[in-house]
Amino acid sequence: VTDLGFAKRARTFAELVGAPLAIIEKRREANDDRAEVMNVIGEVRGKRAIIVDDEIDTGGTLVETTKALEREGAVEIYGCATHGVLSDPAIDRIRDSALVEVVITDTIPLPASHKLDKINVLSVAPLIGEAITRIHQGKSVGALFSSEMQRAQEMLLWSEDEEPT
């Protein structure tokens, strides 16, 4: 995780996939968009790393985190975020990085000029549709975000090109 404030959600994700947690300590100088990675807290040597963030804007934090994980010996590095803003120069940074894959949702449309083999876009439509159905049926919407709900987990893994299981 690239933000200490996001650590609790990252812990939940790590438990969901049965993985340990590492935290990237970073700082920003003034109001600058550039983040400086200070330390990797946790053992990543010889492991596959998944960088979890809420959004990817310019890709600076993602790529700096990737470099830090490489220095610490991670063998494969993936990124995922809810929102793929992907402002310039994010696409170039992702393309030129050691990232194996970056997974984002379609909360922000990905222009054709931003499509890369490394970027996988998952649709939030099934999740939103299920939430609307639950609201109309008077069922729990919160259950969609519970780690015990298998259907919610399956929906998170659907891609635009696949039918749900």
Side-chain angles (χ1 to χ4, degrees):
V1 67
T2 62
D3 185 328
L4 292 175
F6 200 66
K8 183 176 178 182
R9 281 177 265 164
R11 166 63 63 199
T12 301
F13 179 75
E15 289 171 357
L16 184 65
V17 298
L21 176 68
I23 297 172
I24 301 296
E25 179 194 14
K26 68 178 183 183
R27 71 174 174 196
R28 294 188 186 277
E29 295 293 326
N31 282 337
D32 191 1
D33 281 340
R34 183 160 161 50
E36 177 187 3
V37 172
M38 305 296 291
N39 294 298
V40 176
I41 304 166
E43 181 56 45
V44 298
R45 183 164 308 285
K47 296 184 178 171
R48 181 178 301 127
I50 303 171
I51 303 166
V52 180
D53 212 341
D54 56 347
E55 73 173 19
I56 302 168
D57 187 2
T58 64
T61 297
L62 179 65
V63 170
E64 289 303 313
T65 300
T66 300
K67 290 176 184 176
L69 291 168
E70 279 184 297
R71 283 192 303 270
E72 294 296 317
V75 293
E76 284 184 329
I77 305 168
Y78 297 80
C80 64
T82 304
H83 310 290
V85 178
L86 303 179
S87 303
D88 284 337
I91 295 301
D92 292 334
R93 286 176 170 169
I94 292 169
R95 180 187 310 108
D96 298 338
S97 74
L99 287 157
V100 174
E101 181 179 24
V102 175
V103 178
I104 57 175
T105 69
D106 62 354
T107 58
I108 299 172
L110 184 67
S113 62
H114 284 46
K115 293 188 187 278
L116 293 176
D117 288 342
K118 285 186 179 187
I119 297 177
N120 186 5
V121 181
L122 301 179
S123 176
V124 296
L127 184 62
I128 292 170
E130 182 66 19
I132 291 168
T133 298
R134 287 173 168 273
I135 289 167
H136 285 288
Q137 293 175 347
K139 294 181 179 177
S140 170
V141 174
L144 288 173
F145 305 99
S146 167
S147 62
E148 289 103 37
M149 180 149 184
Q150 182 179 353
R151 181 158 167 80
Q153 293 170 9
E154 290 171 356
M155 284 190 284
L156 294 174
L157 299 175
W158 292 348
S159 74
E160 292 177 349
D161 302 328
E162 296 176 6
E163 287 296 316
T165 57

